[in-house]
């Protein structure tokens, strides 16, 4: 592995494709060799059922799982998965969260040059090796390839210009009162609320207020940020926050959805609660960031 000032980092390059007509998938390595292909089984949760996007999502999910296994086998903490697919319109948020939970930063590349497409038509099946998978991990970053669209993640985004680093350092100091006021909206009278939900409220407020792009300008923008897609786009490259988002958006009653409902009603313009009035006023006292940047990302 290559040692840098940021510690150990490594890369995995894979290509994935699915075919909804034949209900098959394929995953190839950086050289275009098939390492896992064959038909979806009827009982598989990711069976496409005739949906092409679902077939590609299923194949991409299996590639992410395989890369996660390779990362574990190698024992490297920081791994970026460069995953080539050929379908536009994939649920990139779900894929990014899945990768984050596997300890990976996802670089999703949409390209027509995808060797996995041909393997979807191959007869039979090839199961991935049940042994260690360290050969998939490359200590060097792969050369840049022409792409139609790329969702960048991983360590590279954390070494951007100094202006962004300064924003990250300032946000916790200048937003303390805002975070406190927003937490109080749900917690000040929360008799009987368990510790798990209290931590969830604090985590949601942190994710929405402390983005690298600065705090929300007003209550309306704060409420607009209570969306998993928006939050993942804002926190790409930050593994801890991405894991938090994935956790808060999961479960039978997702904590993120519960917080959205509660904040929407308590911050509504007609709410005359003293803590709500204070929270709405305190938005005007925090330092502004380049909010247009994150809006462009999400759009």
């Amino acid at each position: 592995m290559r040692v840098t000032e940021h510690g150990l980092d490594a890369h995995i390059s894979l290509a994935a494709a699915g075919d909804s007509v034949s209900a098959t998938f394929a995953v190839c390595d950086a050289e275009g060799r098939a390492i896992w292909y064959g038909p979806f089984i009827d009982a598989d949760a990711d069976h496409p059922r005739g949906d092409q996007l679902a077939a590609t999502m299923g194949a991409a999910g299996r590639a992410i799982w395989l890369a996660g296994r390779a990362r574990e086998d190698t024992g490297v903490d920081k791994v970026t998965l460069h995953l080539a697919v050929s379908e536009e319109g994939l649920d990139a948020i779900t894929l990014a969260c899945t990768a984050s939970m596997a300890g990976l930063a996802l670089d999703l590349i949409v390209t027509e040059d995808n060797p996995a497409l041909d393997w979807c038509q191959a007869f039979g099946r090839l199961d991935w090796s049940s042994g260690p998978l360290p050969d998939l991990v490359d200590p060097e970053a792969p050369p840049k390839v022409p792409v139609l669209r790329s969702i960048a993640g991983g360590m590279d985004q954390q070494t951007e210009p100094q202006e962004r680093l300064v924003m990250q350092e300032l946000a916790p100091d200048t937003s303390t009162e805002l975070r406190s006021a927003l937490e109080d909206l749900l917690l000040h009278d929360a008799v009987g609320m368990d510790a798990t939900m209290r931590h969830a409220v604090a985590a949601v407020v942190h994710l929405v207020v402390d983005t690298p792009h600065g705090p929300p300008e007003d209550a309306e923008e704060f409420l607009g940020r209570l969306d998993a897609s928006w939050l993942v786009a804002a926190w790409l490259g930050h593994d801890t926050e991405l894991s938090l988002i994935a956790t808060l958006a999961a479960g039978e009653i997702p904590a993120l959805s519960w917080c959205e409902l509660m904040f929407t009603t308590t911050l509504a313009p007609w709410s005359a609660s003293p803590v709500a009035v204070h929270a709405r006023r305190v938005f005007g006292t925090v330092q502004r960031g380049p909010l247009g940047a994150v809006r462009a990302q999400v759009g």
Side-chain angles (χ1 to χ4, degrees):
M1 296 302 159
R2 178 177 48 146
V3 180
T4 71
E5 61 180 339
H6 302 292
L8 288 173
D9 64 290
H11 302 263
I12 297 175
S13 295
L14 296 176
D19 188 301
S20 61
V21 176
S22 58
T24 55
F25 72 94
V27 179
C28 295
D29 63 14
E31 305 300 324
R33 295 185 294 261
I35 53 179
W36 192 10
Y37 71 84
F40 290 98
I41 306 302
D42 287 342
D44 289 341
D46 58 356
H47 194 291
R49 313 294 178 194
D51 186 325
Q52 181 55 41
L53 283 180
T56 305
M57 283 290 294
R62 295 184 179 207
I64 291 171
W65 180 87
L66 198 65
R69 280 293 305 266
R71 184 196 66 79
E72 291 177 2
D73 290 344
T74 311
V76 181
D77 292 331
K78 296 181 179 180
V79 176
T80 296
L81 170 60
H82 306 274
L83 180 59
V85 296
S86 297
E87 294 285 342
E88 293 279 4
L90 298 184
D91 186 349
I93 304 305
T94 295
L95 294 178
C97 287
T98 302
S100 178
M101 289 186 285
L104 306 166
L106 180 62
D107 177 28
L108 185 63
I109 303 163
V110 179
T111 176
E112 297 178 358
D113 184 16
N114 184 351
L117 290 170
D118 292 334
W119 285 101
C120 286
Q121 310 305 322
F123 178 78
R125 64 185 306 132
L126 173 66
D127 291 328
W128 64 279
S129 171
S130 58
L133 298 167
D135 291 343
L136 289 180
V137 181
D138 186 354
E140 300 293 335
K144 292 295 183 181
V145 296
V147 300
L148 302 179
R149 175 174 56 87
S150 178
I151 299 173
M155 289 67 68
D156 294 340
Q157 284 203 352
Q158 296 178 10
T159 57
E160 290 184 1
Q162 187 64 30
E163 180 182 355
R164 178 167 177 175
L165 296 178
V166 170
M167 285 302 303
Q168 287 181 273
E169 293 167 0
L170 288 177
D173 294 330
T174 60
S175 302
T176 300
E177 187 181 0
L178 176 59
R179 285 200 309 275
S180 178
L182 290 169
E183 290 178 20
D184 283 347
L185 277 174
L186 302 191
L187 300 180
H188 77 292
D189 284 333
V191 178
M193 182 182 290
D194 62 24
T196 299
M197 190 55 72
R198 289 178 178 273
H199 284 293
V201 171
V204 168
V205 171
H206 158 66
L207 290 169
V208 174
V209 173
D210 296 328
T211 70
H213 309 277
E217 292 184 347
D218 50 33
E220 182 179 0
E221 185 177 349
F222 172 81
L223 297 175
R225 291 185 177 193
L226 292 170
D227 174 80
S229 300
W230 193 98
L231 291 172
V232 169
W235 286 105
L236 276 177
H238 299 261
D239 294 343
T240 299
E241 279 74 15
L242 287 175
S243 295
L244 273 177
I245 297 165
T247 300
L248 292 166
E252 186 175 348
I253 305 178
L256 182 58
S257 296
W258 182 88
C259 287
E260 180 181 10
L261 171 64
M262 298 300 291
F263 276 120
T264 298
T265 54
T266 54
L267 269 176
W270 59 82
S271 175
S273 165
V275 288
V277 173
H278 175 68
R280 288 196 295 263
R281 287 175 177 170
V282 81
F283 280 105
T285 68
V286 296
Q287 180 172 333
R288 301 289 166 235
L291 297 167
V294 71
R295 285 171 175 155
Q297 269 191 13
V298 178

